[in-house]
Amino acid sequence: MTSPYPQSFPATRLRRLRQSGWIRNLSAENTLQRKDLIWSMVVHDGDEPSIPVGSMPGLVRLNVDEAAAAAKRASDLGIPAIAMFPHLNPRYKDETGSEALNPDGLVPRAIKAMKDAAPDVGIICDVALDPFTSHGHDGLIDASGYVMNDETTAVLIEQALVQAAAGCDMVAPSDMMDGRIGAIRQALESEGHSNTMILSYAAKYASGFYGPYRDAIGSATALTGDKKTYQQNPANSDEALREVAMDIAEGADMVMVKPGLPYLDIVRRVSETFAIPTIAFQVSGEYAQIKAAGEKGWIDETRVMMETLLCFKRAGASGIITYFAEAAAHQLND
Ligand code: PBG
C-alpha cells in the first residue's frame, strides 16, 4: 500500500511552510477569532466596585452597573456572549437556594442591566443552586447530604424560567442532574420561551480545577464534601458521549465540555461524534495556573493564553468560555 503521506526527503521539506509569517498564516489549519470567545464574568450583589478575587489575579467581581459597562465593552470588542456567574451576600443563602427563584434577585437584575446596555451581546446564565445554597451544593440535599436528583430538577426548572423571563438568551444547566435538560426545555416551551436556548454542561467532570471559582462566587467555605456523586469521573470518556447524547435527545441546543485543557480529548470526541456546536470551558483553575506562572515570570502569560485558546479550536470547539475573553479580544484586535 502506498502511504497517503509521502515523506520523500528532500522533495518534501515540511519546514518550507514554516519559514515566515505570511506562509505560516496562509497554511494555518485553525484560527482563533473574537467571535469564538464567551466572556466568563462574576457579578456581585453589593455596590462596591471591582472586588479582586485572590486566587484569580486580574479577575474582579463586578457590581451590576459595572457588568452593564462590561457588556458594552464586549459589544465593542466583538465578543458575542457573556456567561454570568453570581456572587451573593451569604445573608441571602439558605438550605434550598431559594434566592435563585427571586425574580428581583441579582441574576435577573444583572441580565436586564446588561441587555439594556448591549442588546446584541448574548447573555448565558448558569442554572444550578451552588451560588445560592448555604451548603454550596448544586442542588437540594437529603438528611445524608446526598444531592436529590428529581427534587433538584423541579427547582432548576423554576430557576431557568426566572432567568428566561428576565431576558436571558441562553440557560446553561451546570448541575449534572439526570433529565434536567428535557424538563427545562418542556417548561420553557410551555411558558412561551420557545426561543430561549439551552447550553448544556453535558460532560462536566468532578474537577479540582474549579477551586478558584468557588472562591470567586463565595461557595468554597460553604461546600461540604465534593460533587463526585453528580459530576463525572475524570477517568471516563465513553460516559461523556452518553451524557451528551442524552442531553441532545432532551433538547440541548449546544453542549459543553468542562474543564477545558485537560479534557481536550473529550472535546475532540464530542465534536466529532455529534453534529452540534460544542463549547469548551477554560475553567478558573486553568486561568489561575497561567496567571500564577506568568506572574512568576516562568511563562509568557499572553503567549500561553493565546496558545491555549487556539488549542481549543484545534480540538474542535466551536467556542470557548474563558476568563481571558477581554484580554484575548484585545490581542486579536491588534
Ligand atoms: C457550578 C459551577 C461550577 C463552575 C461553573 N458552574 C463549579 C462547580 O461545579 O463546583 C466552574 C467554573 C470555573 O471553575 O471556572 N454550578
Side-chain angles (χ1 to χ4, degrees):
M1 224 178 74
T2 52
S3 163
Y5 302 112
Q7 299 290 323
S8 53
F9 179 83
T12 301
R13 291 178 184 267
L14 291 175
R15 288 185 55 193
R16 273 190 214 114
L17 295 178
R18 298 177 199 144
Q19 62 185 293
S20 55
W22 72 268
I23 192 61
R24 286 193 294 271
N25 287 338
L26 197 61
S27 55
E29 296 174 40
N30 295 284
T31 45
L32 178 71
Q33 296 174 278
R34 281 166 280 155
K35 66 137 191 82
D36 300 320
L37 303 170
I38 300 171
W39 183 344
S40 187
M41 191 182 287
V42 179
V43 182
H44 77 103
D45 55 2
D47 294 330
E48 205 178 319
S50 302
I51 303 173
V53 177
S55 53
M56 298 182 71
L59 180 80
V60 289
R61 294 182 197 130
L62 305 176
N63 67 32
V64 171
D65 290 343
E66 289 177 311
K72 181 72 176 55
R73 292 206 301 284
S75 172
D76 294 342
L77 284 166
I79 296 173
I82 291 170
M84 188 232 306
F85 301 94
H87 176 281
L88 257 68
N89 185 315
R91 124 166 73 102
Y92 297 115
K93 299 188 185 194
D94 59 25
E95 271 287 294
T96 60
S98 58
E99 181 63 16
L101 308 188
N102 179 359
D104 302 313
L106 169 61
V107 170
R109 280 190 288 122
I111 294 169
K112 287 176 192 152
M114 289 196 275
K115 286 309 285 186
D116 280 349
D120 58 326
V121 174
I123 300 297
I124 304 172
C125 288
D126 215 51
V127 179
L129 299 181
D130 54 320
F132 307 96
T133 51
S134 44
H135 45 72
H137 277 293
D138 289 22
L140 306 179
I141 52 174
D142 68 13
S144 71
Y146 186 76
V147 175
M148 300 182 288
N149 195 87
D150 300 4
E151 293 81 351
T152 295
T153 301
V155 181
L156 298 178
I157 291 171
E158 299 305 320
Q159 183 185 20
L161 288 174
V162 166
Q163 295 173 351
C168 168
D169 300 289
M170 186 178 262
V171 294
S174 68
D175 54 287
M176 292 298 279
M177 296 304 110
D178 287 323
R180 88 285 201 214
I181 298 299
I184 291 170
R185 184 70 269 162
Q186 216 175 7
L188 289 171
E189 294 295 318
S190 54
E191 295 299 318
H193 300 298
S194 55
N195 271 339
T196 303
M197 295 168 271
I198 300 180
L199 165 59
S200 171
Y201 283 69
K204 176 171 177 180
Y205 287 85
S207 172
F209 283 93
Y210 308 148
Y213 169 87
R214 293 176 189 163
D215 280 346
I217 66 152
S219 69
T221 43
L223 186 66
T224 38
D226 54 44
K227 301 188 177 183
K228 291 179 183 171
T229 69
Y230 45 109
Q231 300 177 345
Q232 275 190 253
N233 183 347
N236 297 350
S237 173
D238 289 345
E239 189 190 7
L241 301 188
R242 299 183 71 194
E243 280 285 359
V244 170
M246 256 176 92
D247 289 359
I248 294 174
E250 291 177 30
D253 299 287
M254 298 176 117
V255 295
M256 194 198 300
V257 174
K258 177 182 174 198
L261 220 53
Y263 295 82
L264 285 188
D265 58 320
I266 309 298
V267 174
R268 165 56 59 198
R269 283 191 81 185
V270 168
S271 64
E272 234 164 48
T273 307
F274 302 98
I276 189 166
T278 305
I279 304 295
F281 196 146
Q282 182 176 50
V283 301
S284 56
E286 301 174 61
Y287 172 89
Q289 283 184 319
I290 294 172
K291 279 289 184 182
E295 280 184 357
K296 287 207 173 261
W298 292 346
I299 59 171
D300 175 339
E301 177 192 318
T302 303
R303 180 175 174 180
V304 171
M305 164 181 83
M306 298 308 283
E307 180 180 335
T308 56
L309 293 170
L310 177 61
C311 290
F312 285 109
K313 291 297 301 291
R314 192 200 61 232
S318 17
I320 307 125
I321 303 185
T322 174
Y323 299 92
F324 285 123
E326 189 176 21
H330 280 295
Q331 293 297 316
L332 293 166
N333 271 338
D334 286 343

